[in-house]
Amino acid sequence: MIAETGLIALWLAAALALLQFALGAIGLRAERNDYYAAIRPVAVAQGLFVSLSFLLLIWLFLRSDMSVRLVVMNSASVKPLLYKFAGTWGNHEGSMLLWVTVMGLAGAFIALFERSLNKRTLVATLAAQAFISLGFYAFLLVSSNPFERMFPVPADGQGLNPLLQDPGLAFHPPTLYFGYVGLSVAFSFAVGAMITRDVGAAFAKAMRPWVLGAWIFLTLGITAGSYWAYYELGWGGWWFWDPVENASLMPWLAATALLHSVTVLATRDSLRAWTLMLAVVAFSMSMIGTFLVRSGILTSVHAFAVDPERGSFILALLAIYIGGAMALFALRVGTVKEGKRFELVSREGALVANNLLLSVILALVFIGTLYPLLVEAVTGDKLSVGPPYFNLATGPLALLLVAVMAAGPLLRWRRDNPKALLNRISIPILITAAALFALALFTTGMSILALLGLALAAGVAVASFAPLWKRNLRRTPLHTYGMVIAHFGIAVALVGMACESSFTEERLVAAQPGDEIAVNDWKLKFEAIEPMAGPNWTALEGRITAQYGDGAIHEITPQNRMFAAAQTQTSEAALLTRWNGQLYVVLGDGDSEGRWQIRVWWKPFVTLIWYGGILVALGGFLAMVGRLRRGYKQRKQREFVEATL
C-alpha cells in the first residue's frame, strides 16, 4: 500500500495546487480578502502532501520493493544503501517528482514566512507558483507515474546506471534542482509583480534571496558536476562543453545576470523591466535545461520521437510556461514605470555591461547547444559543436566580463568620474600588466586566451579586495565580504583553468608489472594487477607507486570495474593531490602479452578550478545571510517605530 499511498498523496497535492491557483485567480479578480487568507494554508498543505509522496518513493527504493516498475528499472537489492537512496531521483519520473516537491516546499515556505510583499502581489506569486506546479503534477500523473506497479514481480531490479553510482553524482542532481526551483520562485515573483504592476524595490528585495539561493545551488551543482566528470569518466578533462553540461550552465549564466540586475533594482530602483525579463529568461533556461536532460532529446532526437505522449507533454509545458511568460511580459512591460536613471560611468552602468555580456555568452551557448539537435531533427544529419566553437566564441567575452567584474565594485552609484575610477583601479591594472609581461617572458606554449586569463586573474584577485580598502572591517556589512569572496573565487578558478589548459603533461604507455613511467617530476612504477570485489561490482585494480622528485612514495590504485547487473564496465581513475596540482592515472585494457594501457596526467593547479567554485558559492552564501540579517533588523526597527507611534 506504500505505492498507492504515495500516489494518493500526489493526487491530493495536485488538487491543492489547483485550489491554490483558483483561490489566487478568483481572489485577485474579485478582491476577496477571505480568498487571500485561505491561500497560505493551502500552499502549506500542498507542500506537505507532495513531500509525503516523495518520501514514500524514497522508502520504496530503500526497501527494494520490486513490485514498483521504477524501482525495478533503477535499483537492485544488492546495491549500496546510498545509491538506493540516490536512485530515487536518478531517473526520469523520480527527478520530476523531486522537482515538484521542491517547488511545493518553496511555495509553503513563501506562504509561511514572506511578509515584505504587499498582499495582492503575494497572492499572485503563490497562484503563479501553483500554476507551474500543476503542469508538473499533470506530467507525473498522466505520462510518468513514479508509483506504477509491475506484474509479475521480478526477482530483482536492473540496478542504477554504474556511472551514477558515485557519492558526487548522488547529490549533484538535487543541488541543481534546488537551483532550478529557486529560479521558478523568482519567476513566480516576477509574474506576480507583473500581474499587480507592483515592480519596485520591495518586490526586488523579496525576490533577491531566492535568486541568490538558486545561484548558490547552481554554482555548487556545476562545480560538483565538473569534478565528478573529471574523476569518474576517466577522460582527464574538467569541462567538455557537452550539451548536458551546457544545460546547467545556461541557467547559471541567466541567474548571474539576474542576481546583479535585481541588486540594482533593490538598491537603486533601476532596471525594472530588464529585471523582469531576466527572471523570465532564467526560468526558461532552467526549464529547457531540465527537459533537455530528462526528455532523452540529447541522446537521440529520434528516440524522443518514439515516445510521443511524453514528448508532446514536454513541448506543451515549454510552450505554456515560456510562451505565456513572454506574452505576459510583452503585455505588461509598457505599464512598468522606468526606474531611476543613472550615468554610463557608474556602478549601475558596469552592472548593465555585466548583464549584456552574460546575455551574449548565454545566447552563444544556447545556439551551440541546440543547433545540432535542430539540424538532426530537420535533416537527420548528425553534427557536433564542440570546444573549438565554444572556446573561441565565449572565451574573449568571458575575459572581458571578468575585467568588468573587477572594475564594477570600484565605481560609485549613479555617476562617477572616469579619472577618479582610473586612479582607483590603477593598482589592479599595473599588476595585470606586470603578470602579462612576466608570463610572456618566462613561459612558452600558452594560448593567448590562457595567457590573458592568467594575467587578468592576478589583477582581479587584487581588485576583489579593493572594496575593503580604507574601511572599518568590523563594521563592513557581511554581504560586502560575500561579494569580495565570490569575485576572488572567480580569480582563483581562472588561475586553475589557465594552468590546466597550458601546463598539463600527459603520458600514454603499454606497461607490464615492473615498468617505470615518468611524467613531469613524477616517477611511477607499475607494481601489479590484482582482482577486487565490491558490493555490486568486481574489478581489476592496478597497484602503482608514485614519487614526486625525491619525496615520499605513495601507492595509487586505478580500477576497471564490471557491474554484472548492468553488464557495464567503468574506469575508476586514481588521483593523487599535492598543493601544486594533481596526478591523474587511468588503467586501460590489457593485451595478450601481459601489457596494460596506462594513461598518466600531471595537472598543475587544476584543483583551483573547484576551490574557486566553492569560494564563489561561499561568497554567495555570506551575501545572502548578510542581506537576510539586514532585512530582519530593518523590519524589526519598522515594527518598533510603528508600535511606539
Side-chain angles (χ1 to χ4, degrees):
M1 289 297 291
I2 295 175
E4 287 70 25
T5 306
L7 187 59
I8 291 170
L10 192 60
W11 273 104
L12 287 173
L16 287 167
L18 181 61
L19 177 61
Q20 181 179 328
F21 171 70
L23 285 171
I26 298 171
L28 286 171
R29 188 174 183 82
E31 299 286 349
R32 294 281 298 271
N33 282 326
D34 51 342
Y35 282 39
Y36 294 171
I39 199 168
R40 285 184 187 266
V42 170
V44 174
Q46 188 219 146
L48 291 176
F49 273 107
V50 71
S51 300
L52 173 63
S53 179
F54 186 63
L55 289 173
L56 291 175
L57 184 64
I58 292 176
W59 180 241
L60 290 171
F61 270 83
L62 292 180
R63 70 198 300 264
S64 296
D65 188 338
M66 295 304 163
S67 68
V68 177
R69 180 180 294 277
L70 194 64
V71 179
V72 175
M73 303 302 292
N74 297 280
S75 189
S77 57
V78 297
K79 203 165 63 172
L81 187 64
L82 172 64
Y83 303 125
K84 288 182 181 178
F85 181 67
T88 310
W89 53 78
N91 56 81
H92 178 82
E93 290 81 358
S95 65
M96 289 297 102
L97 182 54
L98 173 62
W99 230 106
V100 77
T101 299
V102 181
M103 283 195 68
L105 288 174
F109 193 86
I110 294 169
L112 286 172
F113 300 108
E114 179 54 55
R115 293 291 184 272
S116 58
L117 279 178
N118 76 52
K119 190 185 298 180
R120 295 187 77 252
T121 304
L122 174 66
V123 170
T125 299
L126 287 174
Q129 187 78 358
F131 183 71
I132 298 170
S133 298
L134 277 172
F136 286 91
Y137 285 126
F139 185 59
L140 284 166
L141 294 169
V142 174
S143 70
S144 300
N145 177 12
F147 298 101
E148 181 182 352
R149 291 286 190 182
M150 188 173 188
F151 298 103
V153 177
D156 206 347
Q158 299 179 9
L160 182 65
N161 182 344
L163 286 176
L164 304 182
Q165 295 187 36
D166 178 85
L169 209 67
F171 297 104
H172 164 62
T175 310
L176 282 180
Y177 276 23
F178 280 117
Y180 290 165
V181 173
L183 292 180
S184 81
V185 177
F187 172 81
S188 298
F189 271 102
V191 170
M194 283 191 281
I195 290 172
T196 60
R197 297 180 175 85
D198 179 31
V199 183
F203 146 75
K205 287 177 181 176
M207 185 171 76
R208 182 165 54 185
W210 293 96
V211 178
L212 199 44
W215 183 79
I216 293 168
F217 279 113
L218 286 174
T219 304
L220 289 173
I222 292 172
T223 302
S226 167
Y227 192 60
W228 169 83
Y230 169 77
Y231 73 76
E232 182 65 21
L233 299 182
W235 300 341
W238 58 274
W239 193 264
F240 304 98
W241 291 108
D242 180 87
V244 176
E245 293 173 330
N246 296 346
S248 62
L249 177 64
M250 290 188 290
W252 185 85
L253 290 168
T256 305
L258 175 60
L259 177 61
H260 290 87
S261 178
V262 78
T263 297
V264 174
L265 179 54
T267 308
R268 298 293 163 177
D269 198 15
S270 297
L271 304 180
R272 291 180 176 178
W274 181 246
T275 301
L276 293 175
M277 182 66 186
L278 283 177
V280 173
V281 170
F283 176 61
S284 301
M285 290 300 108
S286 71
M287 287 285 295
I288 290 173
T290 299
F291 290 126
L292 280 177
V293 174
R294 290 300 174 193
S295 66
I297 195 172
L298 284 180
T299 54
S300 169
V301 174
H302 300 113
F304 177 67
V306 299
D307 189 357
E309 184 183 25
R310 186 175 290 180
S312 300
F313 223 118
I314 291 170
L315 291 176
L317 286 179
L318 284 172
I320 291 170
Y321 292 149
I322 299 175
M326 290 294 183
L328 180 62
F329 178 79
L331 288 172
R332 290 298 172 89
V333 67
T335 66
V336 177
K337 293 181 180 177
E338 186 180 5
K340 294 180 179 176
R341 294 179 176 275
F342 52 86
E343 300 290 334
L344 182 61
V345 182
S346 63
R347 188 176 294 192
E348 292 96 326
L351 289 171
V352 169
N354 156 299
N355 270 216
L356 293 175
L357 287 167
L358 282 165
S359 299
V360 174
I361 294 171
L362 170 60
L364 293 170
V365 175
F366 183 83
I367 292 169
T369 303
L370 294 190
Y371 178 69
L373 302 175
L374 292 175
V375 170
E376 186 178 352
V378 174
T379 67
D381 297 332
K382 289 184 178 296
L383 294 179
S384 175
V385 177
Y389 161 78
F390 288 106
N391 290 339
L392 186 62
T394 65
L397 292 174
L399 291 180
L400 184 57
L401 175 66
V402 172
V404 172
M405 182 195 76
L410 303 179
L411 282 158
R412 300 188 190 285
W413 292 106
R414 301 293 183 209
R415 67 174 64 87
D416 204 346
N417 185 318
K419 290 183 178 178
L421 169 65
L422 191 60
N423 184 46
R424 289 194 291 272
I425 206 169
S426 58
I427 293 177
I429 289 176
L430 287 174
I431 289 175
T432 301
L436 186 61
F437 178 76
L439 288 167
L441 197 62
F442 297 110
T443 62
T444 58
M446 291 188 75
S447 67
I448 186 65
L449 281 179
L451 188 72
L452 291 173
L454 204 51
L456 191 57
V460 170
V462 175
S464 300
F465 290 93
L468 300 180
W469 296 349
K470 300 179 182 178
R471 295 188 70 155
N472 183 338
L473 298 182
R474 299 179 65 179
R475 300 178 67 86
T476 300
L478 190 57
H479 62 79
T480 301
Y481 282 109
M483 178 187 67
V484 167
I485 292 173
H487 285 189
F488 180 67
I490 295 289
V492 170
L494 199 53
V495 171
M497 295 174 195
C499 288
E500 195 275 342
S501 67
S502 300
F503 305 128
T504 291
E505 295 184 29
E506 178 184 3
R507 287 288 310 278
L508 173 61
V509 299
Q512 293 179 319
D515 287 352
E516 294 186 349
I517 308 164
V519 58
N520 192 261
D521 289 332
W522 285 93
K523 291 178 290 189
L524 289 82
K525 185 175 181 181
F526 183 24
E527 301 286 354
I529 287 283
E530 296 176 346
M532 295 286 294
N536 62 337
W537 50 263
T538 58
L540 288 175
E541 181 178 273
R543 194 154 54 79
I544 298 172
T545 55
Q547 184 179 25
Y548 188 78
D550 296 326
I553 296 176
H554 306 272
E555 184 175 271
I556 53 179
T557 54
Q559 294 179 344
N560 275 338
R561 290 184 182 176
M562 171 58 76
F563 292 79
Q567 285 297 300
T568 301
Q569 183 175 333
T570 65
S571 179
E572 300 294 318
L575 302 180
L576 191 57
T577 304
R578 283 173 50 84
W579 69 270
N580 61 342
Q582 244 179 8
L583 185 70
Y584 188 114
V585 182
V586 175
L587 178 68
D589 296 328
D591 63 18
S592 59
E593 298 179 6
R595 297 178 302 183
W596 293 82
Q597 290 183 357
I598 298 178
R599 189 182 292 269
V600 183
W601 286 274
W602 168 242
K603 294 176 172 294
F605 299 105
V606 66
T607 51
L608 293 183
I609 296 171
W610 304 293
Y611 289 143
I614 293 170
L615 282 174
V616 172
L618 174 63
F621 176 74
L622 292 178
M624 185 168 68
V625 172
R627 295 288 187 189
L628 289 174
R629 193 170 67 176
R630 170 176 282 194
Y632 176 78
K633 288 181 177 177
Q634 289 174 344
R635 190 164 63 250
K636 287 296 178 184
Q637 287 173 352
R638 279 198 306 271
E639 290 173 358
F640 176 76
V641 171
E642 290 171 0
T644 54
L645 288 177

